[in-house]
Amino acid sequence: MQFKIKLLAAIGALMLIQGCKEDFLDRPPVDALTSGNFYKTDEEIMAGTAPLYNIVWFDFNDKANMAFQEARAGNLNSNDRTAYIKHAIPSTDASTLLPGYKSFYKIIAQSNNAYKAIKEATGSTASAAGKNQGLGECRFMRGTAYYYLVANWGAVPIVYDNVAQINEAPARNTIEDVWKLIIHDFRYAAATLPATAVQGRLTKYSAEGMLARMYLMRAGLNQNGTRNQSDLDSAKFYAEDVITKSGLTLAPSYSELFLSANNNSSKNNSESLFALQWMPLSSPWGINNSFQAYFAYESAITTTGDGWGAAQGVSADLVKYFTENPADSLRRKAIGMFDSDVYPEINKANGGLKYNRPAALSAIKKYIIGSPADNGGLGGFMAANINSYMLRLAEIYLIYADATLGNSVSTTDPKALSYVNAVRKRAGLADRTSLTFEQIFQERRIETVFEGNSWNEIVRWYYFNPAKAMAYTAAQHKENYTMTYVPGSTNPKKYTVTYSIAEFYPLTASTLYLPFPEAEIVNAPSLKNEPVAFDFSKLVD
């Protein structure tokens, strides 16, 4: 996206300082940036909403994302996220659980503040299009934050007006009403955002893509083995609208999606519907993408004083998938480093990086881009120059197929097959001639692994078939392993993998949702009360 780096950094830092207190219950005040003296021009609206693309998401991206979404989903082997791998998260976890939970309410608070300020700005000369862009972004971001909250905590408080609710004890609202709000927000965003990106920002198709995802997930809520047909139809409708009208296309190769040159704050690729836009700067803190700092397996990769991921890696379950499905090697190499893999885009000055750690885990490759020297001089300490995908076109292809399958055991629908096979063709895989739910689910898992949606997919399955979702997690291998390349093997490469004693940590009904952080319960004991219905008459569009 063509954001102005200095402007975004300055506004982002100022907005965070003035707009977010330590606890989301101490809701942000109406201050300099959120009162009528700002948001009066198109430029001010763009500057004021720019932080919604990065700084408010920092605490989620920094540690919580990989714990909540990937460790819980069985994709990550980690020495410091084991509680999430084992579905045994303590409410006292102040390093990941608490900041992760609070991050979503920061997003909601800033979205609410900016939305209200744009609406109420006095003496505004902003264009209707400029206002709609800003208002649509606010509602889009609020809907996204609630999507993560409802998938991770279930019934949570709906905060719709930071000022009006400041003296109210937080009350958890029902899961059904949280979903109603999410759909409401994305429908609003789809109606107000432009069809063509302004400075590479969100469009109506970004919102329609999220609507396709949301309707598909909600289709299973409170169902018993089947899914709600009306929601399935809506998911299919919005997915097809994005596919046929957005003008986006699949990137030619999977690996290029995760190269800095094709996915940064100055350039979106042809597949990105929504991505967090990180700046290649370490200061001001919060506009930086710290992912590589934690998951690059050695400091020589980054050369910036970070690269602490030696004890992080791809899970045994994913390793089993890739060794049992060697044809999926194009995606595999872009997702995880296996012994003897070579990456010419990293450590370019010395001919590339060769992964030669035969006694170690498969290291994570996705979003690992190397040093500033490998990336046009851009980047720094805990600040890799790459965006974080939140929604890509390939996922919309798979959503269309899943919604078309609906409640059938399998489908041979030509259009559904064509979309799934387009994703598979890019991965170098053979076409499918029919589709089942489990096949589409697996395709989506592999295609989007480490992109922050994996756990929500398991919850989606749990909604309408808890027994199968729990059986799926119960079969996931989570033990340690070592891997050695078999010399001379090619097309496909072969590996000797030695697994430790098998470890399984199945999901249960009592561990589906994360505990509320103890610090939040202390501040707001009302969070322990039963969920209540939300009064939607309080919402003013």
Side-chain angles (χ1 to χ4, degrees):
M1 292 187 178
Q2 300 168 357
F3 289 148
K4 301 297 184 183
I5 293 177
K6 291 183 179 179
L7 176 62
L8 181 54
I11 294 295
L14 181 60
M15 198 169 181
L16 186 65
I17 291 169
Q18 295 185 340
C20 285
K21 290 191 176 182
E22 186 64 21
D23 194 304
F24 91 85
L25 299 173
D26 297 325
R27 297 184 185 91
V30 179
D31 53 30
L33 272 181
T34 57
S35 65
N37 66 5
F38 201 70
Y39 298 97
K40 293 188 294 186
T41 67
D42 287 3
E43 290 74 19
E44 288 179 348
I45 291 171
M46 296 289 276
T49 57
L52 296 178
Y53 287 84
N54 57 25
I55 196 167
V56 296
W57 287 95
F58 178 82
D59 285 340
F60 169 66
N61 184 70
D62 186 56
K63 291 186 178 70
N65 187 2
M66 289 294 278
F68 295 177
Q69 296 296 318
E70 306 299 339
R72 295 180 81 201
N75 297 330
L76 181 69
N77 187 306
S78 172
N79 70 339
D80 59 2
R81 292 169 175 82
T82 54
Y84 292 86
I85 292 169
K86 296 179 179 181
H87 301 296
I89 302 97
S91 62
T92 53
D93 174 16
S95 64
T96 302
L97 182 71
L98 179 61
Y101 176 74
K102 289 165 64 175
S103 72
F104 298 120
Y105 280 101
K106 286 182 182 179
I107 297 159
I108 291 162
Q110 293 294 3
S111 298
N112 286 341
N113 272 357
Y115 182 85
K116 185 179 180 71
I118 294 168
K119 283 273 192 179
E120 298 177 356
T122 57
S124 175
T125 60
S127 67
K131 289 181 180 178
N132 282 339
Q133 174 82 45
L135 294 171
E137 288 173 329
C138 293
R139 295 288 287 275
F140 182 103
M141 296 298 184
R142 186 174 75 175
T144 304
Y146 272 114
Y147 166 62
Y148 280 100
L149 281 167
V150 77
N152 281 286
W153 280 275
V156 294
I158 290 177
V159 179
Y160 63 92
D161 188 316
N162 310 325
V163 177
Q165 294 175 269
I166 196 165
N167 294 317
E168 296 178 7
R172 292 193 299 140
N173 296 110
T174 65
I175 292 174
E176 293 80 4
D177 280 355
V178 177
W179 271 110
K180 184 177 178 180
L181 177 73
I182 291 167
I183 297 293
H184 185 69
D185 275 353
F186 283 120
R187 288 179 68 93
Y188 180 96
T192 53
L193 289 168
T196 303
V198 177
Q199 294 185 10
R201 292 182 177 226
L202 294 170
T203 69
K204 67 173 290 186
Y205 298 110
S206 307
E208 288 192 349
M210 291 298 264
L211 280 168
R213 183 196 270 179
M214 300 306 129
Y215 274 116
L216 185 68
M217 184 164 178
R218 195 180 72 167
L221 184 63
N222 296 330
Q223 303 297 306
N224 184 19
T226 61
R227 296 183 281 180
N228 179 279
Q229 190 59 50
S230 177
D231 279 353
L232 290 171
D233 291 343
S234 293
K236 181 178 178 180
F237 169 82
Y238 284 113
E240 185 164 34
D241 211 53
V242 172
I243 293 167
T244 59
K245 296 179 183 177
S246 68
L248 298 183
T249 57
L250 294 183
S253 68
Y254 187 78
S255 61
E256 72 184 66
L257 287 164
F258 305 99
L259 300 178
S260 171
N262 303 322
N263 180 34
N264 60 68
S265 59
S266 297
K267 179 184 178 182
N268 275 345
N269 60 57
S270 64
E271 191 168 326
S272 180
L273 280 158
F274 169 37
L276 302 181
Q277 308 286 319
W278 305 108
M279 300 297 107
L281 306 166
S282 301
S283 179
W285 191 253
I287 64 170
N288 49 306
N289 187 354
S290 59
F291 182 95
Q292 178 173 254
Y294 296 118
F295 293 100
Y297 72 86
E298 65 178 6
S299 60
I301 291 174
T302 70
T303 73
T304 54
D306 48 34
W308 307 307
Q312 315 287 337
V314 175
S315 71
D317 202 64
L318 280 178
V319 167
K320 282 182 176 291
Y321 166 81
F322 284 120
T323 54
E324 292 169 4
N325 296 273
D328 205 350
S329 61
L330 297 180
R331 287 191 297 198
R332 194 280 301 159
K333 189 179 178 186
I335 291 167
M337 301 180 184
F338 280 20
D339 185 39
S340 85
D341 281 342
V342 176
Y343 296 93
E345 71 271 19
I346 299 176
N347 196 12
K348 292 177 182 177
N350 295 306
L353 170 70
K354 182 173 182 179
Y355 189 70
N356 185 21
R357 300 172 74 215
L361 301 172
S362 165
I364 292 172
K365 170 59 176 72
K366 188 175 280 192
Y367 293 126
I368 305 303
I369 60 173
S371 67
D374 295 326
N375 294 282
L378 298 173
F381 176 71
M382 299 186 75
N385 185 40
I386 189 166
N387 290 340
S388 303
Y389 292 112
M390 300 291 275
L391 185 66
R392 291 192 284 114
L393 184 63
E395 185 182 348
I396 303 301
Y397 280 22
L398 301 176
I399 287 172
Y400 179 92
D402 202 333
T404 300
L405 170 73
N407 292 309
S408 301
V409 175
S410 64
T411 183
T412 57
D413 180 85
K415 194 177 290 186
L417 282 167
S418 71
Y419 290 144
V420 171
N421 286 333
V423 175
R424 289 176 61 81
K425 181 178 180 181
R426 180 173 67 180
L429 299 172
D431 284 355
R432 292 201 182 278
T433 56
S434 66
L435 297 166
T436 66
F437 175 84
E438 286 80 1
Q439 287 172 335
I440 300 170
F441 185 92
Q442 182 77 304
E443 199 72 52
R444 198 165 163 192
R445 177 196 187 190
I446 302 304
E447 176 69 23
T448 64
V449 66
F450 301 136
E451 294 178 45
N453 197 53
S454 297
W455 172 253
N456 297 0
E457 278 291 279
I458 292 175
V459 176
R460 178 171 74 86
W461 196 353
Y462 186 96
Y463 273 176
F464 68 95
N465 202 323
K468 283 195 174 182
M470 289 189 287
Y472 169 79
T473 65
Q476 289 182 323
H477 285 264
K478 297 183 178 181
E479 62 267 24
N480 290 319
Y481 61 88
T482 58
M483 174 186 299
T484 307
Y485 167 64
V486 177
S489 63
T490 58
N491 300 320
K493 295 168 72 174
K494 296 181 180 179
Y495 304 89
T496 300
V497 185
T498 303
Y499 297 94
S500 64
I501 297 174
E503 295 182 48
F504 303 98
Y505 300 101
L507 170 70
T508 67
S510 64
T511 58
L512 176 66
Y513 295 122
L514 293 171
F516 282 87
E518 183 178 73
E520 294 299 314
I521 295 292
V522 169
N523 287 330
S526 58
L527 291 173
K528 295 187 291 186
N529 297 340
E530 289 298 307
V532 297
F534 178 73
D535 181 2
F536 279 89
S537 69
K538 295 179 179 179
L539 294 183
V540 179
D541 283 341

